[in-house]
Amino acid sequence: MTLQFSEKEVKGEIARLSEEYDVVRLVDPEECHSFAIGADCSYEYGPSCYSVWRSTNRCRSCTSLRALKTGMELCKTEVKDGDLYFITSRPIEILRADGTTFSCVMELIRIERGKGMKKDGHHAMLQKGFDRKVFEETLRMAMQNLPTGVVWFDMSGHCIYANSEAFRLFDVPDSLAKLEVILKDWFQEDALSSPEATVWLQQYGEKESPRSLQICRYPLNDGTGMDVGMYFLISDCTQDQKNLDLEHFGTMHNALTGIYNKYGFYRQARHVMDDNPHVEYLMVCLNFGDFKLLNGLYGMTKGNELLVRVGGMLRRRYGRNRRTAYGRIRADRFAMMIPAEDFVPEEYLKTVETVMHELTSIHFDLQIAIGICRVTDRRMPISVLCDCAFLAASVLKTQESNGFVWYSDHMMSDKIRDRAVLSRFSDALGRGEIQLYLQAQVGGGGPARDRRGGALALGLRGRARDPARGIHPNPRGARQDLAARLPHLGDGLPPAEVVEG
């Protein structure tokens, strides 16, 4: 069962667990970011969640995302730079001050430094009687022809050996002094500070086409086992990294439209806001009414055609704007994080209508609903901003025309209040908080009647009543939701008297 904490309680829980683990943190797996809750209960987003074990992309086995989706606590082990990371992903819900909940993950991490390297006690062996001078020469030739660069440094930081592959990788002549200068300038700062075994990845070369090189560092020992320096094994893994980037592209992009999927959009939206701290942003969400009807009448091909056209429109109009992020969230839902100065709602609506009208052999238009939420708190989770914008767009469901609606705080409070009433609907009937009444169906000339003059049809209506405040402040929305639930009440309905007019 997913644990629920208030924003104050979760900070206390983190403090308690920090005594047992090396790292305890909150993670938003959908955005791939860690975050903290500030003194004013604001959400302060930090670095990418995978940066703690110095990775460059979302983990292939992202247990935190799976924990969030399944509601189950999951564990995994990561090995990076010679260290072991034992990660427990615990799904939680944070009850926010406005009454909404935010689903995220609490990660509990234990780190064992240096335990990720191979240390099994085995040693190299040389057959008895084999000529040591021959062995040394053979070993030297083998090292020379290795497809991996090998470089030795002594304890004072001077390069004392390099094989031919090392000189080739860094495109320098056979000069240890020149290679030493290049490596000291290129290596990360602490590379030569200790011979402790470790592994990392660095890029080398021109910015237009850098190569990805993996560096493994190991201690260099003399015959007595004393450290006399360190050696580096350097290999070109550019193609492997490109393959990984392609795999990462697939996890962050929607296969049908080619634009960001939900997780890619959440991540990119956070990046564009962080890169432009002084720009006012809008969250713009697009939804199509009766999209399932389009698929049902004309097949999924037409539905997919519309989605591809919308994705293409977003790419053409906003693809070159580095301050804008956009993506297909799911099904027929699209979202965009865009600077307020770059967005004109009327133009955007007209553009989407044009895309809709370009579909051939379609005898009806889907309703286009656009919700717009002004980003007043940049620290708010992207998923929450999307929820607000789509909530604004849902206001248009009761209308038949296309349009756009700006989000306001009362929409969320009304939604929460309505849900609170509906969640206890059956009990509320017994307590008199729900008032049911019958209403005659009316036509243009008054109540509709049968041949005998009786009422032809009656409609059952429900209205939420708060004993403390009287009639619910949003009776129209409440009546619609209540009416949808009335057929399921069965024997819970009180007897009603039909009065003929």
Side-chain angles (χ1 to χ4, degrees), residues 213-241:
L213 302 182
Q214 184 185 64
I215 304 101
C216 304
R217 182 186 68 195
Y218 299 93
L220 190 62
N221 306 125
D222 61 11
T224 64
M226 295 291 293
D227 289 343
V228 295
M230 65 200 78
Y231 69 95
F232 297 87
L233 302 181
I234 307 172
S235 55
D236 190 340
C237 58
T238 304
Q239 189 57 50
D240 292 339
Q241 191 62 32

Side-chain angles (χ1 to χ4, degrees), residues 25 68 100 211:
R25 60 183 188 162
L68 182 70
T100 61
R211 287 178 294 151

Side-chain angles (χ1 to χ4, degrees), residues 290-306 356 359-366:
D290 295 326
F291 183 76
K292 291 182 179 179
L293 180 60
L294 175 65
N295 282 334
L297 292 177
Y298 299 98
M300 292 188 64
T301 301
K302 279 297 177 185
N304 288 345
E305 181 184 347
L306 174 61
M356 180 71 222
L359 289 179
T360 58
S361 305
I362 299 296
H363 303 297
F364 72 96
D365 288 340
L366 301 181

Side-chain angles (χ1 to χ4, degrees), residues 324-380:
T324 298
Y326 53 86
R328 179 189 174 196
I329 303 302
R330 64 180 176 86
D332 61 325
R333 294 189 165 199
F334 294 82
M336 180 167 58
M337 181 70 76
I338 185 170
E341 62 189 38
D342 296 339
F343 183 74
V344 180
E346 294 81 5
E347 291 183 2
Y348 184 67
L349 175 61
K350 186 176 181 180
T351 302
V352 178
E353 288 176 336
T354 301
V355 172
M356 180 71 222
H357 295 152
E358 288 174 352
L359 289 179
T360 58
S361 305
I362 299 296
H363 303 297
F364 72 96
D365 288 340
L366 301 181
Q367 183 194 37
I368 298 171
I370 299 171
I372 309 170
C373 176
R374 197 176 300 277
V375 181
T376 56
D377 184 358
R378 306 170 73 92
R379 297 165 297 184
M380 187 176 291

Side-chain angles (χ1 to χ4, degrees), residues 451-468:
R451 294 178 181 177
R452 295 177 300 172
L456 180 64
L458 293 173
L460 184 61
R461 297 289 181 265
R463 177 172 293 184
R465 180 190 296 276
D466 188 320

